[in-house]
Amino acid sequence: MARVLTGIQSTGTPHLGNVLGAIRPAIDLAKNPENESFLFIADLHSLTQIKDGAQLRKNTHAVASAWLACGLDADRTVFYRQSDVPEVTELAWYLSCYFPYQRMTLAHSFKEKSDRLKDVNAGLFSYPMLMAADILLYDAHFVPVGKDQLQHLEMTRSVAQRINHQFDPTHARELLVVPEPLTRENVMLVPGTDGEKMSKSKANTLDIFADPKALKKAINKQIVTDATPLEDPKDPDSSVVYELYALLSSEAEAAEMAAKLRAGGYGWGHAKKALLEAIVDGFHIERERFAHYMAHLEEVEAVLQKGAEQARETAGQTLARVRAEMGY
Ligand code: TRP
């Protein structure tokens, strides 16, 4: 049985791009009975950027509610909050002492973030070692990640190999499991309201859990359409409205909208209204469940607490093994 583990950033309510591109595929992967799956909310990593405790908690609750709303089965996935298993910070320290400073300075994501963010703290720099600890603490075999995380996975493998080598140069016995990244080939590309990839840092996101009024406003204001008169034919293929609609509806529905746009007499306003409906109706189960969880955070907490208990069992065993080898 392979153990599949992944961490989720908790920088805010997941948007449409997260739901289609990450949450749904991860939930599908977790359904495979051949895998044992661990999924956690990386709220200790969030501290590198968010210093408001109430905000941290709120983000965690929104992320957890969104995953549960999208169908994550917490009976089959160990679903927990990173900070509920503080063992990870101890392992991160050991790993840091086995990883060359020079190699840390080559991390792309640190360079990218330190160019962009105002608060460039030491935690941001050591982020990859905490991520390595997230993975190695649980003896994970496979780690589904986006391409932007591959270097972090490489660092994780490298630090695990260094430690394994130190404790048994013959490699007859491995102290830590060296994980493999899992990248999906056909990741669904979800355009944002500006046509670029949908991403929180670009302010081009749509929140499928927002109330319909707010969602309508986002669609109308954020998606810029040209001033082609209502009667004139329009090109669906150069339109984000159509692209998003097509991602959310059946082939027949998408073909119908494309035909109406090409025929003329059908405006961008009509298309935007159809997009709004596709989101509100298409995600109505998720929206209802999300609202339920957000109004019953004690249920969300209970799920996370159960996950933390399960996670701590494995974490304690790995850490005991590592401590003993290190001489503590
Ligand atoms: N760094 C990951 C991201 O930005 C989130 C993450 C933290 C993670 N710890 C992890 C992913 C461990 C996989 C495994 O998306």
Side-chain angles (χ1 to χ4, degrees), residues 107-176:
H108 309 308
S109 84
F110 175 72
K111 281 193 194 136
E112 187 268 318
K113 285 183 187 161
S114 57
D115 286 343
R116 182 162 55 82
L117 300 174
K118 267 196 252 121
D119 176 12
V120 181
N121 52 70
L124 201 63
F125 182 73
S126 37
Y127 185 114
M129 288 299 107
L130 182 58
M131 177 160 165
D134 287 329
I135 298 166
L136 301 175
L137 189 59
Y138 299 99
D139 293 334
H141 303 106
F142 295 104
V143 183
V145 282
K147 288 209 180 73
D148 62 323
Q149 297 296 315
L150 281 176
Q151 193 187 32
H152 288 156
L153 250 290
E154 228 3 271
M155 294 163 99
T156 304
R157 291 171 52 83
S158 166
V159 73
Q161 282 159 345
R162 282 163 200 268
I163 291 179
N164 285 345
H165 190 75
Q166 162 86 22
F167 291 107
D168 184 1
T170 70
H171 292 268
R173 197 181 58 92
E174 308 276 26
L175 184 64
L176 298 169

Side-chain angles (χ1 to χ4, degrees), residues 69 209 283-293:
F209 302 113
F283 289 105
H284 83 270
I285 296 174
E286 288 83 352
R287 292 167 54 82
E288 262 169 42
R289 287 198 208 138
F290 181 77
H292 171 87
Y293 284 120

